[in-house]
Amino acid sequence: MMGFHYQSHCYQLLRREAILGLFLLLFPLLLPCLFTPFAHASSSTFSEWNVPKPRHLSLLRSALERESSNGEQSDLWAPLADQGWRPFLESANALSLPQKSEGYLQVFLDGGLNQQRMGICDAVAVAKILNATLVVPHLEVNPVWQDSSSFMDIFDVDHFINVLKDDVSIVKELPDEFSWSTREYYATATRATRIKRAPVHASVNWYLEYVLPVLQSYGIAAISPFSHRLSFDNTPSEIQQLRCKVNFKALVLVQHIRALGDAIVHRLRYPPGESEAVGSNYLRETTDHYDKQKPHKFVVVHLRFDKDMAAHSACDFGGGKAEKLALAKYRQTIWGGRVLNSQFTDEELRSQGRCPLTPEEIGLLLAALGFDNSTRLYLASHKVYGGEARISTLRELFPLMESKKSVSSSEERVRIKGKASLLAAVDYYIGMHSDIFVSASPGNMHNALVGHRTFENKKTIRPNMALLGQLFLNKNITWSEFRQAVAEGHQNRLGQLRLRKPKQSLYTYPAPDCMCRA
């Protein structure tokens, strides 16, 4: 009898558990709105729903209460004074183009758009060194952004070839006899025509010793990977000049990107009235019809605060345990655990200036420099880690903040939609046409635009990362102290020309290789 009651009791427990389990399974279906955000959840996105509160609340409050001034009259907007240097892209000792080529040179460029841009310049230089015919460089698909845009999708290839026709022989495609030399061919096995282990910053002599014999033996050589593969030091001035010519003259964006960039710049300078919407046919309208209003000045801010950058920095951004777990997994899957400076604490990294500025911090920097809430900002970034919630503090400081989406229609952006390289190209173009450019942390976009704007003597703010890291670690600092320290620490970081030092890139420091004294 006792056994019967025991079995009956167990049966009732199992029945209740089965009903409870069924209820838990059906509950999300009955109330799907509660569970929709979790349908596609993963550790890489979960932390983005937990955007931290402002980390510098005292400074933020003071910055929001700062007095507005006529930003157009501020000294910050004044153009850079003449620094006594001029662009110089031609050399009196330029090497003539030999009649016979040693063979075809292929390069496969990885990285993002601006890293590839520098690789293109180096590829032309290497082709010159080897007396090779350069095949228009192949752009690899970036593993983070998954963009398959080709050279011809981004740059005006005919302009590129024409500008360099007296320096290097360039072809769009290989002749039929070498049609087998494809990316897929080199991915399947070790090939005698592929140079796989070109050292970073290789010398001119290295190419002559190891690549030239391949060209002479097979009539073709393919270098993959090809990124930062030519030294900036001990390189003939003619080769340096050629790199400058490629970067600042031969590489021009395709027409539809320039047209969209011009339209956006026009709207930033002559914003339409509140009742006017951005028209889908703007690019077909005449662009020389300017309103009678005075043109506005604007700052381009490159946040460089995407998930990839946040993970690679090994810094803490205030998202708590969820963010740490998410970024740790992302660091392992994307970077294979190879995260720089991961042995340092967050405080050490920040005091050394090795953490990218968050949108909140770049906003406080601009406010401390004197930009007020009437300043028009253009946000040049692909995807910001944490989305709009992370940007909200910056928008609160600078309500006149725009982006591609806010100043152009979806019809205008259809040719660049979902293509990170084309989106970056538009931002680069607008960055070159802005009154001031500032990047939240050093990187390829920052380096390329700093160099290009230096070449054209345009104002560029280079954040003092170490100083800002130390200031933001001081939780007791007042707004007055912060503003004074920022102003003093950036007196010579507003676009003043700096001569290139050994091992530094001429794409970031174009003088003296690409410029001469007036």
Side-chain angles (χ1 to χ4, degrees):
M1 191 70 177
M2 288 181 63
F4 172 78
H5 285 299
Y6 176 76
Q7 290 177 354
S8 177
H9 177 68
C10 289
Y11 173 76
Q12 290 176 1
L13 285 175
L14 290 171
R15 188 165 177 263
R16 281 201 297 269
E17 289 177 0
I19 293 172
L20 179 60
L22 182 63
F23 176 75
L24 290 173
L25 288 172
L26 293 176
F27 186 59
L29 299 176
L30 296 173
L31 293 171
C33 60
L34 295 178
F35 290 84
T36 300
F38 296 90
H40 305 288
S42 69
S43 61
S44 63
T45 58
F46 181 79
S47 63
E48 299 193 39
W49 305 338
N50 299 287
V51 177
K53 295 179 180 179
R55 304 187 78 183
H56 314 290
L57 194 55
S58 177
L59 291 176
L60 180 60
R61 286 171 178 164
S62 298
L64 289 170
E65 294 170 358
R66 70 196 189 281
E67 293 184 3
S68 297
S69 60
N70 187 351
E72 299 289 344
Q73 302 301 318
S74 169
D75 289 342
L76 281 170
W77 296 109
L80 282 175
D82 189 335
Q83 301 185 69
W85 288 80
R86 299 286 183 274
F88 183 70
L89 299 178
E90 302 296 337
S91 173
N93 299 319
L95 300 174
S96 60
L97 185 62
Q99 291 184 349
K100 187 177 183 301
S101 167
E102 294 288 353
Y104 292 93
L105 177 68
Q106 287 179 290
V107 293
F108 299 89
L109 306 178
D110 52 14
L113 173 67
N114 293 291
Q115 184 175 332
Q116 290 171 337
R117 181 189 183 100
M118 298 170 196
I120 292 167
C121 300
D122 286 352
V124 173
V126 169
K128 183 68 173 180
I129 292 167
L130 299 173
N131 182 29
T133 297
L134 177 68
V135 183
V136 168
H138 174 89
L139 309 186
E140 300 275 33
V141 177
N142 187 286
V144 176
W145 305 122
Q146 293 297 313
D147 186 354
S148 58
S149 297
S150 69
F151 182 104
M152 298 179 195
D153 292 328
I154 304 169
F155 301 106
D156 185 333
V157 67
D158 292 324
H159 176 86
F160 176 74
I161 293 173
N162 185 59
V163 168
L164 299 170
K165 68 180 185 298
D166 296 328
D167 300 287
V168 177
S169 175
I170 303 174
V171 296
K172 296 179 183 179
E173 296 179 350
L174 284 167
D176 291 342
E177 63 191 282
F178 292 110
S179 60
W180 49 265
S181 184
T182 64
R183 186 68 187 88
E184 293 72 26
Y185 171 77
Y186 292 109
T188 55
T190 300
R191 307 294 184 181
T193 53
R194 177 186 176 184
I195 291 85
K196 188 177 181 180
R197 306 207 178 273
V200 174
H201 303 309
S203 67
V204 169
N205 287 336
W206 186 90
Y207 283 98
L208 294 173
E209 183 176 353
Y210 293 100
V211 183
L212 184 57
V214 176
L215 275 174
Q216 294 171 333
S217 297
Y218 300 95
I220 189 169
I223 307 177
S224 176
F226 188 87
S227 179
H228 311 298
R229 303 292 160 172
L230 180 61
S231 174
F232 291 109
D233 301 322
N234 302 316
T235 302
S237 60
E238 295 83 3
I239 298 301
Q240 299 289 67
Q241 283 279 318
L242 182 57
R243 292 163 109 175
C244 301
K245 185 176 181 178
V246 181
N247 192 38
F248 299 122
K249 189 175 180 180
L251 285 178
V252 171
L253 298 170
V254 293
Q255 194 278 332
H256 76 87
I257 291 178
R258 301 198 309 270
L260 178 56
D262 286 334
I264 291 174
V265 169
H266 178 84
R267 291 168 193 169
L268 292 169
R269 295 216 179 277
Y270 301 91
E274 293 182 3
S275 61
E276 300 177 55
V278 174
S280 62
N281 64 339
Y282 186 88
L283 296 181
R284 294 189 294 273
E285 297 172 2
T286 56
T287 56
D288 57 354
H289 176 70
Y290 288 89
D291 298 332
K292 293 182 180 179
Q293 67 185 100
K294 181 182 177 182
H296 292 260
K297 297 182 184 298
F298 68 97
V299 182
V300 167
V301 177
H302 181 232
L303 282 181
R304 201 181 181 233
F305 195 74
D306 51 53
K307 182 170 62 177
D308 187 50
M309 181 62 192
H312 190 264
S313 68
C315 300
D316 177 23
F317 300 104
K321 186 178 292 185
E323 179 184 84
K324 289 181 180 179
L325 290 172
L327 292 182
K329 181 176 180 180
Y330 190 72
R331 285 166 185 154
Q332 187 61 43
T333 55
I334 297 298
W335 296 107
R338 303 183 306 275
V339 175
L340 299 177
N341 311 311
S342 56
Q343 70 271 28
F344 297 106
T345 66
D346 182 71
E347 289 75 16
E348 289 171 332
L349 290 172
R350 291 188 180 281
S351 64
Q352 296 168 14
R354 299 187 181 185
C355 293
L357 299 177
T358 64
E360 174 191 359
E361 290 167 345
I362 197 72
L364 290 172
L365 165 64
L366 293 174
L369 287 172
F371 296 102
D372 59 30
N373 58 12
S374 69
T375 300
R376 188 170 295 276
L377 298 188
Y378 173 82
L379 204 59
S381 293
H382 182 46
K383 289 183 179 179
V384 174
Y385 178 64
E388 180 60 34
R390 179 80 75 167
I391 302 172
S392 60
T393 308
L394 178 60
R395 192 179 299 281
E396 194 174 1
L397 286 166
F398 297 97
L400 300 181
M401 188 168 74
E402 307 285 2
S403 66
K404 285 181 288 292
K405 288 186 177 181
S406 67
V407 287
S408 63
S409 67
S410 57
E411 290 85 353
E412 290 172 313
R413 300 191 309 273
V414 67
R415 296 179 70 176
I416 64 172
K417 183 179 180 181
K419 298 178 180 179
S421 293
L422 301 189
L423 292 165
V426 172
D427 285 338
Y428 188 99
Y429 186 86
I430 296 168
M432 279 304 301
H433 288 78
S434 65
D435 298 280
I436 298 172
F437 172 79
V438 57
S439 180
S441 65
N444 290 319
M445 176 83 156
H446 166 92
N447 294 339
L449 272 167
V450 165
H452 206 154
R453 289 177 67 88
T454 298
F455 185 74
E456 297 191 5
N457 199 44
K458 293 184 175 181
K459 184 167 284 188
T460 307
I461 298 173
R462 295 183 297 106
N464 187 330
M465 302 296 289
L467 170 67
L468 292 169
Q470 294 162 17
L471 293 177
F472 286 129
L473 284 171
N474 183 356
K475 300 304 179 184
N476 297 317
I477 192 170
T478 65
W479 175 248
S480 177
E481 293 169 337
F482 178 77
R483 188 173 58 182
Q484 181 178 350
V486 166
E488 292 175 354
H490 289 81
Q491 285 181 348
N492 297 314
R493 303 181 71 89
L494 302 178
Q496 290 83 351
L497 185 144
R498 296 188 297 168
L499 296 179
R500 186 177 73 85
K501 298 177 181 179
K503 297 185 179 180
Q504 289 183 330
S505 167
L506 63 79
Y507 307 123
T508 308
Y509 306 98
D513 301 275
C514 312
M515 306 178 76
C516 61
R517 290 190 180 276

